[in-house]
Amino acid sequence: MTQLPVLTLEEITADWLSEILQARVVSVTATPIGTGQVGATYRLTLDYGSGSGPSTLVIKLPSNDPLSRATGKSHMTYIRESRFYQLFAGRKPMAVPSHLYIAFDEDSHAFTLLMHDLPQHRAGNQLVAATLREAALAMEAAATFHAGWWGDPMLDKLDWLSGTRAVPPQLDIEAIYAMFWPAFCDRYGERVTENMRTVGEAFVGRINQWSESRTGERCLTHNDFRPDNMLYHLDDPAKPIVIVDWQTVGVGTGAGDIAYYLGTALDPETRKVQERALFDIYLDSLKANGVTNLGIATAWDDYRRSAIAGFLMGVTASMVVGQTDRGDTMFLAMCERSAAMVLDHRDLAIPS
């Protein structure tokens, strides 16, 4: 793989962009966008003088927050996203941004990701429950990248993917959760609801048991599949939804991404009524994308066993990224919605 130089925001100059775009850029300005906790994303506005080219681009860099940046390196989130764009994006039909440049530094884990902008798309918002139309689009989008590498043994040869079998697990998830759960309760106090406490306590000492209970065909998974990581333009027939933030990309069961999304994106009552219909949209989309060895009953059971996924992310991620008011509200919402899902499916969702 060609080693391209990593650039800082200050090095994204008009001259450098002129070389990338093969068009004379006169000036460029950067404006922060997005709500990411681990990455820093900017919209670049380009002036061509008398020439022409894309008026805006998007660039993503490591976080400016030292704690979040250290987390990005230690948890391998920066290498995962960089390698995803180097090895997967654009290789098969997927609802992902088109990128112009991707560079990664092995030592520091600094990276530079330059992408085409989608100015007509709006960002999803984790704090506002998704609509059924948005949820259906998410089901279809997940099926594209799950199907693209469905059961592909190559995935387990990549030691940078989350959940890979190429190397032993680098983190003791059982111990991490046992440490973070009481810290989560201490931080948020009375904001931790009864449902959250019931579910949180039920998984202390049972994370590995839960993980080993999940079956199903392994595939490429996003692992943070929720509205904040989606862009929508419902009137765009080509790309009504685009999935971003591939920092947690890994290998796992596709039903896990679906449970994560439906458990964190929908309000619990809507999810309870609509989840089977939305799951069926996902299954139909898998088939439309060429998956033939699909056990429907097994997939549904694995979806139910995966109900805790969003809760685990809410607890652990809140403890390792820079704390913000929005972040606190978001993590609590994820945990509360996911806790309701776990309790709705407790016969399979909670290890016995």
Side-chain angles (χ1 to χ4, degrees):
M1 152 185 333
T2 303
Q3 188 69 34
L4 297 172
V6 172
L7 293 91
T8 64
L9 185 62
E10 291 72 22
E11 293 172 312
I12 307 300
T13 63
D15 287 343
W16 183 81
L17 288 167
S18 296
E19 183 178 349
I20 293 294
L21 297 171
Q22 294 297 295
R24 181 57 183 163
V25 179
V26 176
S27 65
V28 56
T29 57
T31 305
I33 57 173
T35 58
Q37 296 287 105
V38 183
T41 307
Y42 302 87
R43 175 168 284 115
L44 305 178
T45 302
L46 286 64
D47 180 9
Y48 296 87
S50 59
S52 63
S55 58
T56 58
L57 297 171
V58 170
I59 191 157
K60 187 169 185 178
L61 304 165
S63 174
N64 296 312
D65 176 75
L67 175 60
S68 293
R69 193 179 184 111
T71 298
K73 181 176 181 180
S74 65
H75 287 219
M76 299 179 66
T77 53
Y78 296 150
I79 188 172
R80 289 192 190 107
E81 182 157 49
S82 299
R83 293 287 187 257
F84 170 80
Y85 279 98
Q86 290 170 329
L87 298 178
F88 292 103
R91 301 296 177 91
K92 296 182 180 181
M94 291 189 292
V96 299
S98 300
H99 68 286
L100 294 162
Y101 186 89
I102 174 63
F104 176 79
D105 180 74
E106 298 282 350
D107 295 326
S108 67
H109 284 215
F111 71 96
T112 307
L113 172 59
L114 181 68
M115 299 172 281
H116 283 289
D117 193 12
L118 295 165
Q120 301 305 313
H121 285 63
R122 61 173 179 80
N125 185 347
Q126 189 68 48
L127 304 185
V128 179
T131 67
L132 291 179
R133 173 62 175 148
E134 291 167 346
L137 288 172
M139 299 299 97
E140 294 169 355
T144 62
F145 59 83
H146 290 168
W149 288 270
W150 188 264
D152 192 332
M154 175 275 295
L155 296 173
D156 274 316
K157 298 178 181 179
L158 303 175
D159 61 8
W160 50 268
L161 275 175
S162 173
T164 183
R165 291 173 177 151
V167 293
Q170 300 298 298
L171 298 172
D172 185 345
I173 303 300
E174 192 89 74
I176 289 174
Y177 179 76
M179 176 177 62
F180 284 167
W181 170 242
F184 180 90
C185 292
D186 287 344
R187 172 182 290 183
Y188 295 117
E190 293 182 356
R191 298 174 74 181
V192 181
T193 66
E194 182 179 350
N195 278 357
M196 291 160 64
R197 290 186 184 276
T198 298
V199 170
E201 293 296 333
F203 278 83
V204 175
R206 292 178 172 176
I207 301 299
N208 290 336
Q209 181 183 351
W210 163 76
S211 181
E212 292 166 1
S213 72
R214 295 185 296 166
T215 57
E217 198 71 62
R218 288 159 64 80
C219 61
L220 190 72
T221 52
H222 186 280
N223 296 329
D224 195 16
F225 196 63
R226 56 188 179 83
D228 273 4
N229 295 329
M230 299 174 182
L231 305 175
Y232 294 99
H233 184 357
L234 302 186
D235 295 327
D236 184 343
K239 284 191 173 184
I241 184 173
V242 175
I243 312 303
V244 297
D245 285 346
W246 291 86
Q247 296 174 337
T248 52
V249 65
V251 184
T253 61
D257 272 345
I258 302 307
Y260 186 104
Y261 177 86
L262 295 180
T264 61
L266 299 181
D267 71 84
E269 286 304 314
T270 300
R271 188 262 313 148
K272 190 172 182 178
V273 172
Q274 300 291 339
E275 65 185 333
R276 185 62 204 235
L278 289 165
F279 190 75
D280 286 345
I281 290 174
Y282 167 68
L283 296 180
D284 289 344
S285 298
L286 281 178
K287 294 175 186 176
N289 281 278
V291 174
T292 57
N293 59 330
L294 183 63
I296 295 176
T298 299
W300 176 245
D301 283 350
D302 204 48
Y303 164 82
R304 298 175 65 212
R305 289 189 183 97
S306 299
I308 191 66
F311 188 93
L312 295 180
M313 179 66 83
V315 171
T316 57
S318 65
M319 296 292 106
V320 297
V321 300
Q323 188 175 6
T324 65
D325 289 342
R326 185 187 187 279
D328 287 346
T329 303
M330 178 189 73
F331 291 130
L332 287 164
M334 290 173 64
C335 288
E336 175 62 12
R337 294 172 185 172
S338 292
M341 183 179 181
V342 171
L343 295 175
D344 285 340
H345 296 287
R346 69 175 71 215
D347 58 318
L348 281 181
I350 298 178
S352 57

